[in-house]
Amino acid sequence: MMATAMRPTHVRFGILALMTLATMLNYLDRSVMGVAKPAVVAELDISPAMMGLIFSAFSWTYAFAQIPGGAVLDRLGVRLTYAGSLILWSAATVAHGFMTSVAGLFSARLALGLSEAPCFPCNSRILNHWFPQGERARATGVYSVGQYVGLGFMIPVLGWIVASWGWRSLFFIVGGLGIAFGMMWWALYREPHESKRVNAAELALIADGEETVVAAAPRVPFTLRNIGRLLSKRQILGASIGQFCGNSTLVFFLTWFPSYLAEERGMDWLRSGFSASLPYIAASIGVLLGGVVSDRIIRVTGSATLGRKLPIIAGLLMTSTMVAANYVESNAVVIAIMSVAFFGQGMVNLGWTLISDVAPKSMIGLTGGVFNLCANLAGIITPIVIGLVVQWTGSFYGALAYIATLGIVGAAAYIFILGPVERVTLE
């Protein structure tokens, strides 16, 4: 009675702010290589195909550590897993600045991917533990803006750092900030049932009629059989295929897009300035709008299937418009096309909300790991494909066509494979 009479606290929004900053650092650390790439290539004499392998190395360990990372999360909890991951990936970022060879950079990228792996399974767990279903899409939109804000609004600053102090300083500065934030996370984060600031009314709001989320989650053993059981469910399989396709667009923008502007379009970060940031800003808007539209559809129709799937399908189809950049001369029009495509990719990020809606309650961490593994296979394949295409053809025409095709494939997976958005149960 008292829980319903009192006004709920808003501790969950402070947790959301922490998660947003952590996600921003996560993507900034993996993406600064794209900004540093021209200077790195000039100093170390790296070919496009080899640079594709270096970009790809991050995702080798990042993708294949998703399932073990999810299992570790299910056992150790968010606070310890996230703090440790933050500090380790930031240290790996700093290590980039000390490397003087291709092998050294490759090793640093492997270490970075390994240590960043638990981030999104942690975010999925926090979403389930701290937010009711009706707020999850908007919460996902807010924290996911961090994927794009780091580059979108800081590109001129990052370019200036490289031009003024060299590419190594970029890794030292960004990595140092992450180590400090990892310590801050450990000091501030608590689960709902552990927090001294959350009241009973907010706990009731978070539960929102679902099975209680304020108690500690049961521990589920990591087995290959459990992975197979998850992937046998059409909701998880369809979402994973679609996310692989949508993530290919994100990988392009985080790795090769700066080179595309410089080499194909004759634009560099310092001269192009704000216009080069527009696609990243558009993606930030797409993330936020996707969450708002999704929750709005659910409130109006009562259908989680419509609310979650429609924005994602629309976003995937928008990513396929990227191929139009092959047929225009104006750089301003190219930026506009890329902004539409990246806006669509931002909406696809709603897949993380969808997977939190369908994941079995006892396997949220493992489901997040499986989902992110499939999604981030794009990080292994896409940089290599683009690097080979650029080296063999001398242009990005085939690369843009490849990304556009995957957008159509991803939309088909959400339409024909995924089925109803409802929580999966495993016997």
Side-chain angles (χ1 to χ4, degrees):
M1 186 71 178
M2 183 175 296
T4 58
M6 71 174 64
R7 187 186 299 271
T9 49
H10 298 93
V11 177
R12 65 193 185 282
F13 299 131
I15 297 298
L16 181 60
L18 279 177
M19 189 164 52
T20 301
L21 289 171
T23 304
M24 183 187 76
L25 286 169
N26 182 281
Y27 270 79
L28 187 60
D29 282 33
R30 73 176 74 177
S31 305
V32 290
M33 177 63 82
V35 177
K37 182 253 181 186
V40 173
V41 166
E43 180 177 325
L44 301 181
D45 191 24
I46 303 174
S47 70
M50 182 58 67
M51 198 66 220
L53 281 172
I54 292 172
F55 279 137
S56 173
F58 166 87
S59 290
W60 293 12
T61 48
Y62 182 77
F64 288 107
Q66 288 302 310
I67 292 173
V72 168
L73 169 62
D74 285 338
R75 290 187 172 273
L76 299 183
V78 169
R79 186 186 179 208
L80 178 59
T81 304
Y82 220 145
S85 180
L86 264 161
I87 292 170
L88 288 174
W89 92 52
S90 300
T93 299
V94 171
H96 282 65
F98 292 105
M99 299 306 171
T100 58
S101 66
V102 168
L105 284 176
F106 193 85
S107 300
R109 299 298 289 176
L110 290 174
L112 181 65
L114 181 66
S115 50
E116 283 199 5
C119 175
F120 274 81
C122 282
N123 287 350
S124 185
R125 172 72 71 88
I126 295 169
L127 209 64
N128 270 272
H129 282 198
W130 273 102
F131 291 89
Q133 186 182 53
E135 294 181 357
R136 286 177 194 158
R138 280 173 293 174
T140 299
V142 171
Y143 86 71
S144 297
V145 167
Q147 298 179 27
Y148 314 98
V149 165
L151 276 178
F153 293 96
M154 294 183 64
I155 279 177
V157 176
L158 298 175
W160 176 79
I161 290 173
V162 173
S164 300
W165 299 327
W167 64 269
R168 299 179 188 278
S169 63
L170 194 59
F171 293 100
F172 296 149
I173 292 170
V174 174
L177 289 173
I179 292 172
F181 186 77
M183 298 175 183
M184 180 179 171
W185 178 278
W186 173 258
L188 296 179
Y189 182 82
R190 297 293 186 276
E191 295 286 357
H193 65 286
E194 298 171 338
S195 175
K196 296 180 180 178
R197 297 181 294 122
V198 65
N199 67 8
E202 186 173 13
L203 292 177
L205 175 66
I206 292 169
D208 192 31
E210 288 194 304
E211 178 184 341
T212 181
V213 296
V214 298
R219 294 182 177 183
V220 176
F222 166 70
T223 65
L224 292 177
R225 179 174 178 271
N226 281 339
I227 297 170
R229 292 167 71 200
L230 290 173
L231 288 175
S232 70
K233 301 298 181 178
R234 62 183 298 184
Q235 289 91 341
I236 295 171
L237 178 63
S240 298
I241 294 172
Q243 201 73 0
F244 165 85
C245 296
N247 213 46
S248 295
T249 303
L250 176 61
V251 170
F252 168 75
F253 277 98
L254 297 183
T255 57
W256 281 105
F257 181 63
S259 297
Y260 169 75
L261 292 184
E263 297 166 14
E264 191 92 358
R265 292 290 168 175
M267 304 170 67
D268 64 55
W269 293 120
L270 292 181
R271 284 203 300 267
S272 56
F274 180 73
S275 64
S277 301
L278 288 177
Y280 299 92
I281 296 171
S284 302
I285 297 170
V287 169
L288 293 172
L289 187 61
V292 171
V293 169
S294 175
D295 286 343
R296 174 72 174 173
I297 293 174
I298 291 176
R299 284 197 301 272
V300 171
T301 67
S303 171
T305 299
L306 288 175
R308 298 303 189 229
K309 289 174 67 172
L310 282 179
I312 295 173
I313 292 167
L316 283 162
L317 293 176
M318 292 172 77
T319 66
S320 68
T321 64
M322 183 187 296
V323 71
N326 284 338
Y327 307 103
V328 299
E329 296 295 330
S330 168
N331 284 341
V333 176
V334 167
I335 291 295
I337 291 170
M338 291 298 179
S339 296
V340 170
F342 210 11
F343 174 89
Q345 196 284 323
M347 295 182 69
V348 175
N349 195 75
L350 188 61
W352 271 103
T353 305
L354 185 149
I355 205 67
S356 72
D357 286 341
V358 303
K361 277 289 184 180
S362 60
M363 295 188 187
I364 292 173
L366 186 59
T367 304
V370 170
F371 179 74
N372 212 17
L373 165 62
C374 296
N376 283 282
L377 289 175
I380 296 175
I381 297 169
T382 298
I384 294 175
V385 169
I386 293 176
L388 290 173
V389 167
V390 171
Q391 183 157 316
W392 290 343
T393 68
S395 79
F396 281 81
Y397 278 45
L400 300 191
Y402 166 76
I403 300 296
T405 301
L406 288 179
I408 296 172
V409 172
Y414 271 94
I415 294 170
F416 299 112
I417 298 177
L418 193 138
V421 175
E422 57 190 20
R423 192 167 298 283
V424 170
T425 56
L426 300 175
E427 295 181 359

